[in-house]
Amino acid sequence: MTSWTPDLTDRNGPRYRAIADALADDIASGRLPAGMRLPTHRDLAYKLGVTVGTVTRAYTEAERRGLIGGEVGRGTFVQGPGHRTGAVPVPQSDPFTWSPPGEPSLVNLTAITLDHHLAAQALGPTLTAIAASGAAGMLEYAPHAGIPAHRAAGAQWLARQHRAVASADSVLLTIGAQNAMAVALATVARPGDVVLTERLTNYGMKTLAAVEGYHLEGITLDEFGVVPEAFDSACRRLAPKALYLVPTMHNPTASVMPKARRIEVVEIARRHGVMLVEDDVFGFLTPDVQPIQAIAPDITIYLSSISKSVSSGLRVGYVVAPPALVPRAEAVIRALHYSSPPLPAEVATRWIQDGTADRFAEAQRVEAVLRQQQARSILPANLVCGHPQAQHMWLLLPEPWRREDFITEARRRGVAVTGGDVFAVGRTSTPQAVRLGLCQPQSVDVLARGLHTLADLLANPETGMLSIV
Ligand SMILES: Cc1ncc(COP(=O)(O)O)c(C=O)c1O
């Protein structure tokens, strides 16, 4: 048995956490090799002058992080790298790809994307203008947080279209919102840390956590978003580093958290010292809704992108961090990708400055409402959930449909939808529901065709299900 005694000097906070953190550090530094047996709870408690319960809690925490494991009768051992939480399998096939080339007739509703033809028209003249002006700074390394003019334009955009509280100094350029999520989390959490999310969450967060080794814990949702009592209880039990949430047009359910609930969430986060990571990619769709970040900018890392309003391929995203965290976020960007490419950010900046981007955002708002209206006229009202201005919709499946059967049969009839289980955090049971990305089909006619197919399946489960058996 090892004589390991953790050094707890300079480790603040609860003792159990300090012990678990020391374990993590000693494993990372190689002081505790994989397979090494750890002291018994009683021995370690004696050495550290803490209670046996504290050591038990520390070992439980370390086990939850995937650092150690126990075998009845043999003791507790340091796990090999394959046991780290980070080794959670990364899904090999993305459920949201663009339409397979071999299936041009497929009505693909699996992604939340937008019509790019407006941006395509504007691109040529903008690139020509950038080239004509000498493309200064466009082909060089940019500062980690982005070129100052791009940060300033980002701040204007987020304030104007998303109602976020942002200044050039607090905005950092990222490579879309997915990268902004990685930057935000790495700014406040480390591998093995608990990050809370909505119980159904953006699939991109699940893949990120799997790769980076964050331990996701899902919080119960109701029609308004995370349930405050569940958030409070998770803070008490799990000492999370952050709550990642999409309070506006939640992905996948398209719900919008009311202001009173936002205030409650902020109060709980404050009470427990938990950072909020607010993903507001859809915020521009509801101009009347203020992000959580505007209520509590000091405890919120806010992120967004132009992927849902202007162009997803430009990969321009933004993080807004409280001033104290900006240097840390810059260091994370430097470590991850040095800086985001300045050329797409320059295109976005020019479009933000001359009002082009606002026109695009308005066009996407109009298109989303139109498609929602169309979907609501075709699908049964009692099964449709989500905000009527969202680019996506959450569709409940009535008895006797099971999610997998519905997805299989829809696909057989030429419509691709995403099952609710794709978004589930952990192994809790997931609703019999699917997500529909309404703005992906190129025209409302194609969308209508797909929706009529789904409506037909919902109305006639016997025919659909018989063909599966
Ligand atoms: C909630 C949410 N966050 C982030 C992203 C990723 O956005 P981006 O394309 O800017 O990386 C998506 C994409 O659908 C999303 O739905």
Side-chain angles (χ1 to χ4, degrees):
M1 185 188 305
T2 175
S3 60
W4 178 70
T5 312
D7 180 4
L8 302 185
T9 43
D10 297 334
R11 290 190 189 274
N12 301 322
R15 294 295 77 192
Y16 85 91
R17 235 187 125 70
I19 299 169
D21 287 347
L23 240 170
D25 287 347
D26 286 351
I27 291 171
S29 72
R31 188 177 155 213
L32 279 175
M36 188 170 229
R37 190 171 174 191
L38 290 167
T40 63
H41 299 202
R42 191 172 299 279
D43 281 354
L44 190 58
Y46 179 73
K47 275 190 215 160
L48 294 175
V50 299
T51 65
V52 174
T54 300
V55 176
T56 303
R57 212 167 158 206
Y59 279 10
T60 307
E61 167 71 10
E63 193 167 352
R64 192 189 51 68
R65 294 188 199 175
L67 299 169
I68 63 173
E71 287 175 38
V72 178
R74 288 194 60 221
T76 308
F77 296 86
V78 174
Q79 297 282 25
H83 284 89
R84 295 296 303 269
T85 320
V88 169
V90 179
Q92 294 294 306
S93 65
D94 194 324
F96 327 113
T97 43
W98 42 85
S99 301
E103 272 185 280
S105 61
L106 183 77
V107 182
N108 191 348
L109 307 180
T110 59
I112 309 176
T113 183
L114 66 162
D115 180 359
H116 286 104
H117 83 274
L118 287 175
Q121 284 166 6
L123 187 62
T126 306
L127 288 177
T128 306
I130 293 171
S133 67
M138 294 302 104
L139 303 173
E140 299 154 25
Y141 287 123
H144 308 311
I147 290 173
H150 296 173
R151 299 175 73 184
Q156 276 173 32
W157 176 254
L158 296 174
R160 198 159 77 210
Q161 287 287 343
H162 291 253
R163 301 185 62 192
V165 174
S167 64
D169 292 345
S170 63
V171 171
L172 300 96
L173 270 287
T174 63
I175 309 170
Q178 179 69 29
N179 173 242
M181 286 151 49
V183 171
L185 282 196
T187 300
V188 293
R190 295 198 306 175
D193 280 341
V194 173
V195 172
L196 304 177
T197 63
E198 291 126 336
R199 198 169 64 81
L200 297 171
T201 194
N202 171 18
Y203 178 73
M205 176 48 69
K206 288 178 61 178
T207 59
L208 174 66
V211 169
E212 298 291 347
Y214 302 123
H215 181 93
L216 292 191
E217 285 283 342
I219 305 291
T220 307
L221 287 173
D222 64 15
E223 66 203 290
F224 302 126
V226 289
V227 171
E229 295 73 25
F231 175 35
D232 189 52
S233 151
C235 289
R236 284 178 207 287
R237 283 182 293 112
L238 303 167
K241 282 286 159 51
L243 166 65
Y244 164 82
L245 76 175
V246 186
T248 303
M249 313 290 195
H250 172 245
N251 183 1
T253 64
S255 69
V256 175
M257 186 184 281
K259 182 153 187 194
R261 176 73 64 91
R262 289 173 192 239
I263 292 169
E264 271 185 279
V265 167
V266 163
E267 280 167 1
I268 295 165
R270 259 192 217 295
R271 209 162 47 240
H272 294 284
V274 171
M275 206 69 194
L276 297 172
V277 175
E278 179 180 26
D279 182 335
D280 194 39
V281 287
F282 303 116
F284 75 100
L285 291 166
T286 52
D288 49 328
V289 174
Q290 224 185 3
I292 289 180
Q293 187 257 4
I295 302 169
D298 55 321
I299 59 160
T300 308
I301 299 190
Y302 173 93
L303 65 95
S304 191
S305 75
I306 61 165
S307 293
K308 311 299 176 185
S309 50
V310 176
S311 156
S312 48
L314 281 180
R315 310 300 301 135
V316 174
Y318 304 99
V319 159
V320 185
L325 290 179
V326 170
R328 165 93 186 144
E330 273 182 272
V332 167
I333 291 174
R334 203 253 178 255
L336 291 181
H337 53 277
Y338 194 85
S339 62
S340 35
L343 185 55
E346 175 69 17
V347 172
T349 295
R350 288 178 182 232
W351 287 351
I352 290 168
Q353 285 167 344
D354 70 7
T356 304
D358 297 85
R359 274 200 296 112
F360 294 169
E362 179 56 20
Q364 301 308 336
R365 276 192 286 271
V366 169
E367 191 66 25
V369 169
L370 191 79
R371 289 176 180 232
Q372 283 280 345
Q373 284 168 353
Q374 187 187 41
R376 284 160 199 263
S377 72
I378 295 172
L379 299 170
N382 60 327
L383 302 179
V384 163
C385 303
H387 197 280
Q389 289 159 240
Q391 289 170 326
H392 60 290
M393 168 176 276
W394 186 239
L395 180 67
L396 304 177
L397 303 177
E399 293 273 2
W401 276 114
R402 282 161 26 103
R403 198 174 46 232
E404 293 316 316
D405 293 340
F406 185 82
I407 294 167
T408 306
E409 185 55 19
R411 180 71 190 228
R412 207 180 65 76
R413 297 184 185 199
V415 187
V417 300
T418 312
D421 52 323
V422 165
F423 309 95
V425 177
R427 284 153 51 94
T428 46
S429 65
T430 44
Q432 300 296 329
V434 294
R435 192 193 72 180
L436 311 180
L438 298 178
C439 296
Q440 186 173 21
Q442 287 196 338
S443 70
V444 280
D445 293 343
V446 175
L447 176 64
R449 176 154 56 82
L451 293 171
H452 279 298
T453 303
L454 298 184
D456 186 46
L457 275 182
L458 292 170
N460 302 295
E462 322 74 35
T463 39
M465 294 182 83
L466 275 177
S467 70
I468 291 169
V469 189

